């Protein structure tokens, strides 16, 4: 059985972009693949975090996976820092990664610009190498992510090939997996930029924790394009984004929605879209709130054990090849 690996950082508010770009794909993939879904807390601390908030966020993200429908009987869910091999393999991969490869990562450039006082940590620079370690430890074949991660997956492939060439075949070369529609959900306040946890305005995103009233207000205020037709297309980035969200949550095709709204305006469309989003988030939140923390901690413990066994074996193989055992 082929394997998939993916992860989300326990920082900021998870939003519809995270769900439609990543988690929604995991739900179908978990039926066909041996699936590993990680809460990547070591990645989160590459920018400053409040320790107590981080602790809470880690549990929250694990609960989001479960509430969204990741089934612990089919998939392995765990916390990155509970499996020590992630940091260990990262160090070894650091010795074959090259400075210019990391310097050209666009996420690093973006995030380092946002750090106050110009103090950019070495961890932030090294972030893609840790991500490569996450993926390669498990011989993952596919990595389901949004578009912003494709450059990191290319680096992962480069590092895996380089290691294999130097030391012999150890790592599987992974491929990114994404859907054309969900790979880049755009901001509601600016459809030229992606929906982001770290956006300046909360009108940029719909958080999975937003209340119905907030969702309705955010969609009402969402930017639209000139004209009045509910249509997708290159000249209508805002409507394309709203139609995409509607389509992915309702399962209706975009052209079907365009037909349905052919005689209606933006106002009617937005009202209906808000109800589709409220319905989805309401169902999601009900499941989230019904989860028992102790049960979730148990699932995470079992997950770390299963992941740890695979990662431990892989690390032994790596150390043997490198000459560390
Ligand atoms: P992060 O929140 O940066 O840990 O991202 C978690 C996952 O959500 C990754 O697979 C991202 O590629 C994906 N993601 C984040 N923002 C978006 C977005 N606006 N559209 C689609 N996918 C996204
Ligand atoms: N870097 C990813 C993000 O910000 C999260 C991540 C860490 C990840 N390790 C991973 C995603 C391994 C896929 C596979 O979204």
């Amino acid at each position: 059985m082929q394997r998939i690996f993916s992860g989300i950082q326990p920082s900021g508010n998870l939003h519809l972009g995270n769900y439609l770009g990543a988690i929604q794909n995991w739900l179908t993939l978990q039926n066909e693949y041996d699936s590993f879904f990680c809460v990547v807390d070591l990645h989160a601390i590459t920018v400053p975090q409040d320790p107590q908030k981080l602790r809470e966020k880690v549990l929250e993200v694990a609960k989001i996976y479960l509430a969204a429908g990741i089934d612990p009987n089919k998939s392995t869910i765990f916390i990155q820092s509970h499996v020590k091999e992630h940091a260990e393999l990262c160090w070894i991969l650091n010795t074959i990664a090259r400075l210019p490869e990391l310097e050209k990562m666009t996420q690093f450039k973006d995030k380092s610009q946002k750090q106050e006082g110009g103090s950019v940590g070495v961890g932030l620079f090294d972030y893609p190498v840790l991500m490569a370690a996450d993926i390669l430890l498990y011989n993952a074949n596919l990595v389901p992510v949004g578009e912003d991660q494709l450059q990191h997956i290319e680096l992962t492939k480069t590092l895996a090939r380089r290691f294999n060439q130097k030391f012999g075949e150890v790592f599987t070369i992974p491929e990114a997996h994404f859907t054309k529609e969900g790979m880049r959900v755009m901001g509601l306040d600016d459809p030229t930029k992606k929906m982001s946890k770290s956006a300046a305005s909360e009108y940029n995103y719909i958080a999975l924790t937003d209340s119905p009233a907030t969702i309705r207000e955010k969609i009402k205020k969402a930017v639209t394009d000139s004209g009045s037709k509910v249509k997708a297309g290159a000249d209508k980035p805002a409507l394309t984004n709203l139609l995409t969200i509607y389509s992915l949550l309702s399962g209706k095709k975009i052209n079907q929605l365009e037909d349905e709204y052919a005689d209606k305006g933006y106002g009617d469309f937005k009202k209906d879209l808000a109800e589709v989003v409220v319905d989805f988030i309401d169902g999601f939140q009900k499941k989230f709130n019904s989860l028992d923390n102790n049960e979730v901690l148990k699932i995470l413990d079992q997950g770390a054990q299963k992941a740890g066994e695979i990662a431990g074996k892989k690390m032994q193989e790596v150390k043997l090849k490198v000459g560390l055992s």
Side-chain angles (χ1 to χ4, degrees):
M1 201 177 194
Q2 293 226 319
R3 190 171 281 159
I4 59 176
F5 186 100
S6 196
I8 294 183
Q9 300 184 65
S11 58
N13 283 326
L14 262 68
H15 52 68
L16 269 185
N18 296 125
Y19 179 77
L20 298 173
I23 303 177
Q24 198 179 41
N25 295 326
W26 303 356
L27 299 181
T28 39
L29 291 168
Q30 71 175 340
N31 297 317
E32 298 155 40
Y33 290 86
D34 185 18
S35 305
F36 287 75
F37 301 118
C38 188
V39 181
V40 290
D41 54 352
L42 297 175
H43 277 106
I45 60 168
T46 58
V47 296
Q49 302 289 347
D50 173 79
Q52 185 50 31
K53 285 211 188 99
L54 176 64
R55 210 170 278 126
E56 288 162 15
K57 269 282 163 198
V58 167
L59 186 64
E60 182 185 304
V61 173
K63 287 169 76 172
I64 286 174
Y65 289 0
L66 292 164
I70 300 300
D71 178 350
N73 294 314
K74 294 180 187 161
S75 303
T76 306
I77 304 174
F78 71 104
I79 315 287
Q80 186 185 31
S81 66
H82 292 186
V83 178
K84 65 181 186 342
E85 284 81 2
H86 289 249
E88 211 178 350
L89 181 59
C90 176
W91 183 256
I92 291 183
L93 293 177
N94 276 338
T95 65
I96 64 163
R98 296 170 186 156
L99 284 188
E101 287 171 335
L102 297 182
E103 278 160 355
K104 71 174 192 203
M105 292 289 133
T106 53
Q107 187 169 2
F108 170 69
K109 289 190 216 162
D110 282 357
K111 284 197 179 177
S112 52
Q113 269 167 13
K114 286 187 192 146
Q115 293 314 298
E116 276 169 30
S119 67
V120 178
V122 175
L124 189 61
F125 185 64
D126 201 30
Y127 174 115
V129 181
L130 178 60
M131 178 161 162
D134 296 342
I135 297 166
L136 298 179
L137 268 179
Y138 299 92
N139 276 344
N141 305 92
L142 278 192
V143 186
V145 282
E147 186 190 38
D148 56 348
Q149 298 302 314
L150 299 187
Q151 202 185 18
H152 292 157
I153 310 240
E154 283 310 307
L155 177 76
T156 302
K157 290 159 75 170
T158 303
L159 295 179
R161 288 203 191 96
R162 190 173 300 150
F163 187 97
N164 287 352
Q165 242 166 26
K166 205 163 168 194
F167 298 106
E169 291 294 317
V170 173
F171 296 126
T172 301
I173 313 296
E175 288 300 332
H177 175 284
F178 50 85
T179 56
K180 203 168 111 273
E181 298 77 21
M183 69 192 281
R184 200 150 194 254
V185 177
M186 308 310 273
L188 297 183
D189 60 344
D190 179 357
T192 63
K193 298 211 181 78
K194 70 167 190 168
M195 188 177 279
S196 165
K197 296 171 178 172
S198 52
S201 158
E202 60 179 51
Y203 286 94
N204 169 273
Y205 58 81
I206 290 176
L208 296 175
T209 46
D210 277 346
S211 69
T214 305
I215 294 170
R216 289 188 184 109
E217 197 199 335
K218 285 184 177 177
I219 292 184
K220 199 166 162 196
K221 291 223 167 105
V223 168
T224 48
D225 307 295
S226 54
S228 58
K229 280 225 167 314
V230 178
K231 264 191 110 37
D235 56 334
K236 290 215 167 209
L239 264 291
T240 304
N241 189 43
L242 297 178
L243 276 161
T244 301
I245 294 172
Y246 198 140
S247 164
L248 289 169
L249 287 179
S250 67
K252 290 184 185 173
K253 294 257 179 295
I254 288 188
N255 52 17
Q256 187 184 342
L257 290 170
E258 287 172 340
D259 287 348
E260 271 180 42
Y261 288 94
D263 303 323
K264 294 182 184 157
Y266 290 164
D268 286 332
F269 169 70
K270 278 179 154 188
K271 240 188 235 152
D272 292 351
L273 170 62
E275 294 320 305
V276 169
V277 177
V278 165
D279 254 12
F280 162 71
I281 291 197
D282 186 52
F284 167 82
Q285 288 177 359
K286 283 201 177 99
K287 277 191 243 156
F288 184 96
N289 292 329
S290 72
L291 291 167
D292 175 69
N293 284 355
N294 286 328
E295 282 298 313
V296 178
L297 292 173
K298 225 195 277 166
I299 290 169
L300 291 172
D301 261 358
Q302 288 165 351
Q305 239 178 45
K306 182 162 171 216
E309 276 171 30
I310 298 170
K313 281 195 194 128
K314 193 50 128 187
M315 249 349 265
Q316 272 180 2
E317 212 185 313
V318 169
K319 283 182 166 171
L320 206 60
K321 292 282 190 194
V322 176
L324 297 174
S325 76

